[in-house]
Amino acid sequence: MVSIFAKIRHIITRLSAYQHLLLIMLSLYLILTSGWLMMGRSLRASASLWDMTHVYLGLLATLISCLFLISNCAGGKWRQYFPWFVGDTSQLLKDLKGLLKGKLPTSGGRGLFSWVEGIGMLLLVAVGLTGTMWFIMQGSSDALVWRSYHILLAKGFIGFILVHILFACLHLLDFVRN
């Protein structure tokens, strides 16, 4: 019995190492194909491949994003991404003051980069949960409300991705300088 739990824990540990990459690939697919969707109140009986893959890969992405958030918050690591839960803004303010002086923020810690990553994780989970609620409520009048929330949050997540890419480039620039 213990070996089964050990094997499951080993599999989860190995999969968690690939969560970020898997979420990148799923998010890219979902965003890039979203313009081809023909969904409103519900998934049509004659839904296209784009509609079907968007819904079911979106549900998978929701599950993985929730697990990603949990794994990034486990063991007290939530303090890195959400220091504002405990009123800690010192590193953020230091990074913002440094930016005004032309100094790049440092990665890690509880600074600007970590704040943005935390917001991104919350946005991704919110996009997934609103899409899931649309799926659950499809056919009802509430489905369109959940769809509108989903679209709004997805646009916010796209904005996060652009900021995240910019920060990753700045981090690499800082790495190359040092």
Side-chain angles (χ1 to χ4, degrees):
M1 192 65 137
V2 173
S3 65
I4 292 173
F5 290 121
K7 287 180 183 180
I8 291 172
R9 189 177 311 124
H10 176 72
I11 290 170
I12 290 171
T13 302
R14 297 224 40 221
L15 288 176
S16 68
Y18 296 102
Q19 286 175 330
H20 191 251
L21 178 61
L22 190 53
L23 284 171
I24 290 169
M25 292 184 330
L26 285 169
S27 296
L28 271 173
Y29 178 82
L30 294 168
I31 291 167
L32 293 175
T33 61
S34 65
W36 300 325
L37 302 179
M38 299 295 288
M39 292 185 285
R41 188 180 308 266
S42 65
L43 189 59
R44 296 170 297 141
S46 61
S48 70
L49 176 67
W50 302 118
D51 292 344
M52 297 295 284
T53 57
H54 186 86
V55 168
Y56 293 109
L57 289 177
L59 290 170
L60 176 64
T62 301
L63 174 66
I64 295 169
S65 69
C66 290
L67 294 172
F68 186 68
L69 178 64
I70 291 167
S71 67
N72 277 306
C73 291
K77 291 189 298 184
W78 63 270
R79 287 180 177 87
Q80 177 179 346
Y81 300 106
F82 310 107
W84 41 274
F85 278 166
V86 291
D88 183 2
T89 59
S90 59
Q91 183 64 43
L92 174 68
L93 294 174
K94 181 179 174 185
D95 284 353
L96 292 174
K97 287 177 186 175
L99 272 177
L100 293 174
K101 296 176 183 175
K103 188 176 170 191
L104 291 178
T106 58
S107 61
R110 298 175 182 173
L112 181 61
F113 289 168
S114 295
W115 277 62
V116 170
E117 289 170 347
I119 291 168
M121 284 188 279
L122 293 177
L123 272 171
L124 180 57
V125 168
V127 169
L129 292 178
T130 54
T132 301
M133 287 305 298
W134 170 87
F135 182 74
I136 291 168
M137 303 299 282
Q138 65 179 312
S140 74
S141 59
D142 290 337
L144 291 175
V145 173
W146 285 107
R147 181 180 178 269
S148 67
Y149 293 152
H150 179 68
I151 292 169
L152 178 68
L153 288 164
K155 289 177 181 179
F157 182 68
I158 291 168
F160 156 75
I161 290 173
L162 296 174
V163 171
H164 191 53
I165 290 169
L166 173 68
F167 282 2
C169 291
L170 291 175
H171 177 65
L172 289 173
L173 178 65
D174 191 41
F175 182 73
V176 169
R177 277 193 209 165
N178 294 330

